[in-house]
Amino acid sequence: MTTTLLLATVATAKGKPAACLPGGAGGDGTLLGRLARAAGAYGRVAVLTRPEWAGRVADALAGDAEHVTVYTASTAPAALRTLSDLRADDVGLTIAQGHLAADDAALTPLLDGHGPSVVLTPGSARPLRRAATDDGPDQPAGSDAVGQPGCAAIRTVRGRVVGASSPAHRLARPTGSTVGALHLAARDAPVVTDAVDELAGLLEDGTISLREGADDPGPATDLVALALVAAVRRGVQVGARATPRKGTAALVTSTADAMEAVRRIDRSDEEAVRLDDAVKRDDGWFTTFLVSSYSPIVVRWTDRVGLTPDAVTLLSMLIGVVAAIAFAAGTDAGLLTGAIALQAAFLFDCVDGQLARFQRRFTVRGAWLDAMFDRGKEYVVYGGLAIGGIQAGDDPSIWLLAAGALALQTVRHTLDLGYAAQQAADISRSVRRPLEDPGEDGPSFWEIGHAETPTGADGDSGPDGAGRPRVPLRRRVILALRRVDDVPGLRWVKRIVVLPIGERFALISLVAVLGGPRAVFVALLLWGGLATAYLAAGRIVRSML
Amino acid sequence: MSDPRDSHPDAAPPPVPTAPLRLDQMTATPRHDPAGSGAGQDGPPRPGGPLDPLCDDGPLDLLPVGATLPVPGTVLLVLALLVMGATAGGWLPLATWQGAAVAVVLGLASRVGRPLARLDWLVPAGLRALEYSLVLLLVGASGWSFALLATLAVRHYDIVYRVRLRGTAPPVWIGAVTGGWFGRSAVLVAAAAFGPVGVVAAVMTVVLAPVITAELVTSWLTHTRES
């Protein structure tokens, strides 16, 4: 159950509530009604609006949604307090602008609320990674959307929001924007509502003030942006979730825009959008080009047949065991069968995650099962290969190679995890800062983990030399390493060199057929060792600089 | 269920006390940490600090000893790995089991060394490398070394995924019962000193595998379906 707060406070050019623009299917109904209906399926819905619009909003809702509570507020602090008084239900709290025109594929991840806190960003063709490391201001794609009422500029590092702008806070070097929809996971919501309450107090005191100009310093104050800033500054981990590539999510403030958006939504095939969105775009080379290119067909098929993601995970493991048994026979036919079965197992391994995203059926247990069986498949195959080698007459030292390959993989994964934890903690430490600090919000990429930690409690202002790194050498080295990425194709080469799971399984299948079990282990140890050394060296250097 | 040592000294106290432990809350060490200024935590910080669940210290977890040596723990761990490598290569004038014993003692020392902010993320991987290479070195080319490592891998991966997905580390008792990296390594070194290391490895595998699997399965079966 997710509690949703919809904000109907922004006005069109004519002074009417933007949320009451036409938005239902075919142009009937309103944007607000559509959102309220969608959100109503997941829990309580509340609408916040200006006192003078209360009647109009109630009319807009009457047809589409019952049991919606309408709140009114005539000043910004009052609006903030309405938000902070909402108790999050057991899954979470979603805040969205009422004039958001979005299809279900974009909305449901924010409404059904399983998963971490996220803010919705406009879809973009290319991730804006490099923007985070460059000097000076960057205009993110779609920045013309920023400045639209309800859009906040954000800065993200590795997919996590580390800074946001709001009517009371400035942001330098934005790397993206939002479309005015924020979801808070259940465990984060109390933190944020507390912080929002504190913000309301600060506004009433006059300690902070809202910017004059684009935002009406009153009830139309962008609550989503303020809540986002509050969340980020309290150290809440908020991810940036992009609108699905073929989906629609846009803030509209004129009838023409609204009709256009509704036409787009009506035309799109929701299932196709969801399917496209379910495939991860940042996987390894082998996975992206040789598996995910046709896995959507398999995803659709498993969905039609009625399989659950957990069932597909089990199927994948079963096929993996079959591959191991085939390898254990030690014959050439066995090796060939095993190699093919291993690829089939990997296909279903990719499909189970994609199916879970497509059906929006995430369970923690399912994720755990997927992860454990990934490792289980791989190591059972190692065992099968070793047995097969012995059967074919090899000497027992092959066990040493097999065990060595297993040990190497485990050490490599532990390195990955340790480093990820370190990075996440560094970011968490850097983002905490006081709510009353109005400017230059958010640490820059360079400051994370290396500048002086802002001492939140004392109310010190941000890091020294806003953005100037303490050690110029570090920036030079990292920028030089990043320039390597500019060489076309080299990014993919780097991804292959690190031997992710797709490449590993492909390697095992290929070498098993061409060279036999011992050769597989030698290849895994050599390439895996190289990959581990490369990754570890890079990370050690980056940690020490 | 969260370990009191997991609270990070210079961060604000977790606002929701019952929130599950998150990956980003498992910091490596406090950054400016002149010799164990872990004031406010239970016990001084250790290298790998709140990444402790991943370190699988087992019974060592029950001892309240923390950073006591002036040398960074991570450095001692690297030294331990070098000693292990040198023993494997036969470059030390020590018997295999003796070299392994020295490495294990250095590893133990590393757990009470000074935290080293920048590189402590290496500690869990280092302990894994230490223990696994010890098994490979002492038990050698036999199916049981593979089986033992596979069993340990199940436990270690479960720790990782349980923390990452559910925010809780496995209960302390399972760590104590399975011996932790130190307990298991010590047993194997002792066995190698007297001879029957292969048998001991086999027994360890056969005993640990059901225990680990049973705890894992029951823990996940009792876990509620939705997070």
Side-chain angles (χ1 to χ4, degrees), chain B residues 172-207:
Chain B
V172 175
W173 67 261
I174 186 73
V177 160
T178 53
W181 69 269
F182 177 71
R184 296 188 292 261
S185 304
V187 165
L188 284 172
V189 167
F194 293 110
V197 67
V199 174
V200 169
V203 168
M204 265 173 77
T205 311
V206 168
V207 165

Side-chain angles (χ1 to χ4, degrees), chain A residues 446-458:
Chain A
W446 307 108
E447 291 155 14
I448 289 173
H450 289 266
E452 292 292 312
T453 315
T455 52
D458 298 88

Side-chain angles (χ1 to χ4, degrees), chain B residues 2-83:
Chain B
S2 50
D3 190 331
R5 283 170 303 176
D6 294 331
S7 56
H8 179 55
D10 69 340
V16 183
T18 54
L21 192 67
R22 287 204 315 239
L23 196 61
D24 67 307
Q25 288 170 325
M26 302 177 69
T27 61
T29 48
R31 198 138 27 90
H32 305 291
D33 185 63
S37 66
Q41 300 182 153
D42 289 12
R46 285 218 211 120
L51 280 166
D52 269 349
L54 272 66
C55 296
D56 190 22
D57 285 321
L60 286 184
D61 267 344
L62 303 171
L63 297 174
V65 187
T68 50
L69 296 177
V71 186
T74 314
V75 169
L76 288 171
L77 189 56
V78 170
L79 203 59
L81 288 167
L82 289 173
V83 168

Side-chain angles (χ1 to χ4, degrees), chain A residues 295-307:
Chain A
S295 64
I297 303 171
V298 185
V299 171
R300 258 219 169 106
W301 173 77
T302 51
D303 184 53
R304 297 257 163 80
V305 167
L307 291 174

Side-chain angles (χ1 to χ4, degrees), chain A residues 528-544:
Chain A
L530 202 80
T532 309
Y534 167 74
L535 282 170
R539 288 163 181 166
I540 291 172
V541 164
R542 261 178 297 180
S543 304
M544 306 241 293

Side-chain angles (χ1 to χ4, degrees), chain A residues 364 375 379 413 428 453 543, chain B residues 24 31 118 157 161 220 227:
Chain A
V364 169
R375 310 279 90 83
Y379 299 148
H413 285 138
S428 280
T453 315
S543 304
Chain B
D24 67 307
R31 198 138 27 90
R118 296 241 188 285
Y157 277 113
Y161 295 135
W220 280 95
S227 64

Side-chain angles (χ1 to χ4, degrees), chain A residues 73-122:
Chain A
S74 49
T75 64
L80 284 169
R81 293 219 190 268
T82 312
L83 170 58
S84 67
D85 285 341
L86 277 182
R87 267 184 17 257
D89 265 336
D90 47 10
V91 175
L93 173 63
T94 300
I95 315 166
Q97 295 287 352
H99 59 293
L100 173 67
D103 56 20
D104 284 339
L107 272 182
T108 20
L110 283 142
L111 294 175
D112 79 9
H114 292 282
S117 305
V118 287
V119 70
L120 189 63
T121 64

